[in-house]
Amino acid sequence: MSSIKEVARLAGVSVGTVSNVLNRPEMVAPDTLRRVREAIERLGYVRNGSARQLRAGRSRTIGVVALDLSNPFFIDVLRGVETVAQRSELTVMVFNSNKDAAREAGLLETFEEQRPLGVLITPVNDSGEEERLSRLIARGIPVVRFDSSARHSHGCAVAVDDVLGGRLAGLHLRERGHRHIAFAGGPFTVRQVRERHDGLAAVLGPDDTMTVIRLPDLTVATGRAVGKEIADLPPAERPTAVFCANDLVAIGVLQEMTLRGLRVPADLAILGYDDIDFAAAAAVPLSSIRQPREQLGHTAATLLLEEANQPAGHEHRQVIFQPDLMARTSTAAPVPAAP
């Protein structure tokens, strides 16, 4: 591999000038800038990022532990993280805990060894891994939770008001005339699932019925199982609407309804959560509770850099965003009047 000294020699400039071209090109005269860049291209020079970090005395990498990268919600959050990282010329290392606490613990141990600039994480359990997160912080590695509260710690966190999201879902379905509503989600160890359920329950009246369908996971496959369970009920016993804890489950329910020849929303109204792109693009466009996904990632990364750059003067913040109802075809029709 060529060195920065070889680039300087070929371009006929000092090593400092080459460094300016790489880091502060606006300070270099156009002709010099051209010569150095031609020398870099000719020699195939690539800067040694590890050596640069050692000289600077700090990492240029943000570590991210996402809860479930199979869910497009987290991909959208990462876009917001990357926008902030690119602006600061930082690298983002993304890992998937896959909702596995043991895997999450191993990833945090790796970060403890690698010493990134900071860590963004959606913990598997809101109260879990506090000891390991505290160890990262004690080593000077800031930690910011995203799509998660910080009730059990004093760090920064960015989340959405999921109780409000559940309330919005319940109010919308009740306004459409639904009085027997199913909630499909799980596991209930996940805070978001519990709070979305609780928000729905809070707006139901004394004459309303809620059927809870507990799931081991939030995927299209479990959504199809929900659809099968509902479709197999006698028509008089079926809920008229189902509120799903995320859009993947809602898409699975929609698929099963279509296979069974049942109509959405006439036979079953379906409401999801997250408002991923696939929701609006479904064969029957799905109503959903929208989370500001990229804004979540952008805000979390911004808080992380603020703490990393000014640890002494940083004040921890808990940022809570408000969700919005996106009403589409899957809940458009009111409940048919009884004969």
Side-chain angles (χ1 to χ4, degrees), residues 222-305:
T222 57
R224 292 190 64 170
V226 170
K228 183 178 186 303
E229 182 174 337
I230 292 174
D232 286 343
L233 291 171
E237 298 178 17
R238 286 180 197 150
T240 59
V242 58
F243 171 38
C244 301
N246 78 0
D247 286 335
L248 297 181
V249 174
I251 289 169
V253 176
L254 175 61
Q255 288 180 351
E256 191 65 23
M257 292 298 105
T258 302
L259 287 172
R260 297 297 188 99
L262 296 174
R263 299 164 299 165
V264 175
D267 295 316
L268 181 73
I270 304 173
L271 179 59
Y273 205 106
D274 291 338
D275 194 34
I276 62 176
D277 292 340
F278 295 131
V284 178
L286 286 168
S287 296
S288 185
I289 304 299
R290 181 183 181 276
Q291 300 198 75
R293 304 178 301 278
E294 290 194 30
Q295 194 174 0
L296 271 173
H298 190 283
T299 303
T302 299
L303 290 173
L304 187 73
L305 292 190

Side-chain angles (χ1 to χ4, degrees), residues 14-63:
S14 68
V15 170
T17 299
V18 177
S19 178
N20 284 337
V21 169
L22 294 172
N23 300 298
R24 296 173 293 277
E26 70 279 359
M27 298 178 59
V28 183
D31 183 61
T32 304
L33 189 68
R34 176 188 56 77
R35 295 205 320 273
V36 172
R37 286 177 171 171
E38 286 177 352
I40 288 172
E41 184 175 356
R42 181 174 171 184
L43 293 172
Y45 170 76
V46 178
R47 71 169 73 191
N48 187 328
S50 298
R52 183 188 179 204
Q53 291 184 28
L54 286 171
R55 287 194 299 272
R58 63 187 302 184
S59 172
R60 302 295 298 170
T61 299
I62 295 174

Side-chain angles (χ1 to χ4, degrees), residues 15-337:
V15 170
T17 299
V18 177
S19 178
N20 284 337
V21 169
L22 294 172
N23 300 298
R24 296 173 293 277
E26 70 279 359
M27 298 178 59
V28 183
D31 183 61
T32 304
L33 189 68
R34 176 188 56 77
R35 295 205 320 273
V36 172
R37 286 177 171 171
E38 286 177 352
I40 288 172
E41 184 175 356
R42 181 174 171 184
L43 293 172
Y45 170 76
V46 178
R47 71 169 73 191
N48 187 328
S50 298
R52 183 188 179 204
Q53 291 184 28
L54 286 171
R55 287 194 299 272
R58 63 187 302 184
S59 172
R60 302 295 298 170
T61 299
I62 295 174
V64 179
V65 182
L67 191 66
D68 180 12
L69 288 180
S70 67
N71 187 342
F73 166 81
F74 286 100
I75 303 302
D76 292 339
V77 171
L78 287 171
R79 289 195 184 100
V81 174
E82 287 183 333
T83 298
V84 175
Q86 288 174 359
R87 189 183 304 147
S88 300
E89 296 184 339
L90 300 173
T91 300
V92 180
M93 287 196 309
V94 181
F95 296 92
N96 182 26
S97 70
N98 200 30
K99 303 182 289 296
D100 184 327
R103 178 175 174 81
E104 176 186 85
L107 293 171
L108 292 178
E109 185 174 344
T110 298
F111 284 140
E112 193 174 347
E113 295 171 357
Q114 297 296 324
R115 307 286 183 91
L117 184 68
V119 172
L120 299 172
I121 183 171
T122 304
V124 174
N125 298 306
D126 263 2
S127 58
E129 288 303 326
E130 282 305 316
E131 180 182 352
R132 197 170 294 279
L133 292 177
S134 297
R135 281 163 52 181
L136 287 174
I137 294 168
R139 291 181 180 275
I141 303 171
V143 175
V144 174
R145 297 165 179 260
F146 67 96
D147 193 35
S148 174
S149 69
R151 297 171 184 165
H152 306 280
S153 68
H154 303 290
C156 288
V158 180
V160 172
D161 188 339
D162 285 303
V163 173
L164 175 59
R167 292 178 63 90
L168 291 174
L171 291 172
H172 174 66
L173 293 175
R174 292 189 81 250
E175 287 171 359
R176 307 307 296 168
H178 297 285
R179 294 297 178 265
H180 183 185
I181 301 170
F183 175 80
F188 272 69
T189 53
V190 176
R191 175 196 60 82
Q192 292 89 332
V193 172
R194 293 194 309 273
E195 293 189 353
R196 293 166 194 180
H197 164 273
D198 293 348
L200 170 64
V203 299
L204 298 183
D207 297 327
D208 298 332
T209 302
M210 180 170 66
T211 299
V212 178
I213 303 174
R214 293 177 177 265
L215 304 177
D217 209 348
L218 300 176
T219 64
V220 174
T222 57
R224 292 190 64 170
V226 170
K228 183 178 186 303
E229 182 174 337
I230 292 174
D232 286 343
L233 291 171
E237 298 178 17
R238 286 180 197 150
T240 59
V242 58
F243 171 38
C244 301
N246 78 0
D247 286 335
L248 297 181
V249 174
I251 289 169
V253 176
L254 175 61
Q255 288 180 351
E256 191 65 23
M257 292 298 105
T258 302
L259 287 172
R260 297 297 188 99
L262 296 174
R263 299 164 299 165
V264 175
D267 295 316
L268 181 73
I270 304 173
L271 179 59
Y273 205 106
D274 291 338
D275 194 34
I276 62 176
D277 292 340
F278 295 131
V284 178
L286 286 168
S287 296
S288 185
I289 304 299
R290 181 183 181 276
Q291 300 198 75
R293 304 178 301 278
E294 290 194 30
Q295 194 174 0
L296 271 173
H298 190 283
T299 303
T302 299
L303 290 173
L304 187 73
L305 292 190
E306 286 179 2
E307 184 172 359
N309 291 330
Q310 295 184 327
H314 178 76
E315 293 185 5
H316 294 310
R317 284 181 283 160
Q318 318 294 313
V319 180
I320 307 295
F321 290 101
Q322 304 298 302
D324 297 303
L325 169 70
M326 307 300 292
R328 300 189 180 96
T329 308
S330 69
T331 60
V335 176

